[in-house]
């Protein structure tokens, strides 16, 4: 008697490589999240080369290096670590490279890039040996909170500037914008709503304020794990439980984003 039983269907390569079902996601969700993440960080392709060009680096070479570093780093993060983290050159370090090392101290950009290479080798060795994770674990919790707050303040400054609440001033560096315009008024109203909800300890207050202000479903949610009124992990679980926000990509901000911490999510 002939056995007509068909062999089990082979799972698609994406499922075998990234275990999408085990992580509660789909190919469509990952593609949308990747595209959204690219849009949020694509500004670096214009900003980073312009900053490095002031150090003397050819802008075309800086543009290629920026795109290559972000692309290769993000691909390796997905293939080797299977983490949904996008990597790109840091905005603070490029300013230090240009204005401190090259402009103020007069170091040629070729020599400064040599320093960057040595720095990268050291960080690679620290990561491979496991020393990096031990250093991160040894950092006091209060200092981790301070690092997170400083990053948050930097992002808040950019948001206030993009919202028109603060504008440049030749004497005082910054000043308040024109609140008679729609954009600053809407941005300021969203901040007031956010503060009111946080004060009343409303769960997911920041997310609610964003949704109300935008009056539409956001393309991306940035979530700080160290919120003042509720755990960031609890907010993440609420977002995943709500059908209206479950499919929205979430970028998580944390000062201790190491494998042992990210596995909880």
């Amino acid at each position: 008697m002939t056995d007509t039983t068909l062999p089990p269907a082979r799972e698609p390569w994406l499922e075998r490589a990234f275990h999408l079902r085990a992580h509660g996601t789909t190919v469509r969700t990952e593609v949308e999240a990747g595209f959204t993440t690219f849009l949020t960080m694509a500004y670096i392709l214009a900003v980073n080369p312009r900053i490095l060009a002031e150090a003397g680096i050819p802008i075309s070479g800086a543009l290629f290096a920026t795109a290559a570093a972000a692309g290769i780093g993000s691909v390796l993060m997905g293939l080797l670590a299977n983490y949904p983290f996008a990597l790109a050159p840091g905005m603070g370090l490029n300013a230090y490279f240009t204005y401190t090392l090259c402009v103020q101290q007069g170091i040629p950009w070729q020599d400064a890039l040599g320093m960057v290479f040595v720095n990268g080798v050291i960080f690679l060795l620290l990561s491979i040996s496991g020393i990096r994770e031990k250093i991160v674990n040894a950092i006091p919790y209060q200092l981790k909170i301070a690092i997170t707050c400083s990053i948050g303040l930097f992002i808040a400054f950019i948001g206030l500037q993009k919202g028109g609440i603060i504008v440049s001033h030749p004497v005082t560096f910054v000043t308040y914008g024109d609140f008679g315009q729609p954009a600053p008024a809407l941005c300021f109203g969203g901040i007031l709503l956010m503060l009111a909800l946080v004060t009343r300890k409303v769960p997911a207050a920041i997310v609610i304020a964003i949704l109300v202000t935008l009056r539409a479903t956001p393309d991306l949610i940035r979530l700080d794990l160290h919120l003042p009124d509720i755990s960031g992990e609890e907010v993440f679980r609420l977002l995943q439980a709500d059908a209206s926000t479950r499919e929205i990509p979430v970028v998580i901000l944390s000062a201790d984003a190491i494998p042992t911490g990210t596995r909880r999510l």
Side-chain angles (χ1 to χ4, degrees):
M1 184 175 181
T2 304
D3 186 3
T4 59
T5 303
L6 297 176
R10 186 175 178 83
E11 291 184 333
W13 176 80
L14 289 175
E15 177 60 37
R16 288 184 281 110
F18 300 106
H19 311 289
L20 300 180
R21 285 198 297 269
H23 290 88
T25 185
T26 63
V27 174
R28 177 180 177 180
T29 299
E30 294 303 305
V31 171
E32 292 177 351
F35 182 69
T36 303
T37 303
F38 170 78
L39 293 180
T40 61
M41 61 187 293
Y43 73 94
I44 197 174
L45 294 174
V47 176
N48 192 49
R50 291 183 179 275
I51 294 178
L52 295 179
E54 296 187 32
I57 298 178
I59 193 168
S60 59
L63 175 60
F64 174 80
T66 300
I72 295 174
S74 299
V75 169
L76 291 178
M77 176 63 74
L79 293 177
L80 301 181
N82 197 16
Y83 282 137
F85 297 157
L87 303 180
M91 286 291 97
L93 294 179
N94 60 1
Y96 174 80
F97 175 92
T98 296
Y99 303 115
T100 301
L101 294 182
C102 297
V103 176
Q104 292 184 6
Q105 299 184 12
I107 300 175
W109 64 267
Q110 296 89 340
D111 295 342
L113 283 181
M115 299 178 189
V116 173
F117 175 77
V118 174
N119 175 73
V121 172
I122 295 174
F123 269 100
L124 178 61
L125 294 176
L126 290 175
S127 299
I128 294 176
S129 63
I131 298 177
R132 173 187 172 274
E133 184 170 352
K134 293 180 180 179
I135 294 176
V136 172
N137 290 331
I139 297 176
Y141 176 76
Q142 293 79 2
L143 183 56
K144 292 180 180 179
I145 295 298
I147 294 173
T148 303
C149 292
S150 63
I151 297 174
L153 287 173
F154 177 69
I155 296 175
F157 182 87
I158 295 176
L160 293 174
Q161 189 270 332
K162 295 298 182 181
I165 293 181
I166 58 175
V167 294
S168 61
H169 191 278
V171 178
T172 61
F173 182 64
V174 294
T175 186
Y176 59 86
D178 183 7
F179 287 91
Q181 299 297 322
L186 181 62
C187 183
F188 187 68
I191 294 175
L192 292 180
L193 175 61
M194 186 182 302
L195 292 175
L197 294 176
V198 169
T199 302
R200 297 183 64 87
K201 301 185 183 302
V202 177
I206 298 177
V207 176
I208 293 174
I210 293 174
L211 295 176
V212 172
T213 303
L214 292 179
R215 295 178 298 177
T217 302
D219 296 325
L220 180 72
I221 296 176
R222 293 183 177 90
L223 175 61
D224 191 336
L225 289 184
H226 306 287
L227 298 174
D229 62 317
I230 186 174
S231 168
E233 296 181 20
E234 178 63 21
V235 174
F236 181 78
R237 285 191 286 268
L238 291 172
L239 290 172
Q240 295 299 302
D242 192 333
S244 62
T245 57
R246 185 180 301 125
E247 301 297 327
I248 301 176
V250 178
V251 175
I252 295 177
L253 175 65
S254 176
D256 53 349
I258 57 178
T260 54
T262 56
R263 290 193 190 100
R264 297 196 307 269
L265 301 175

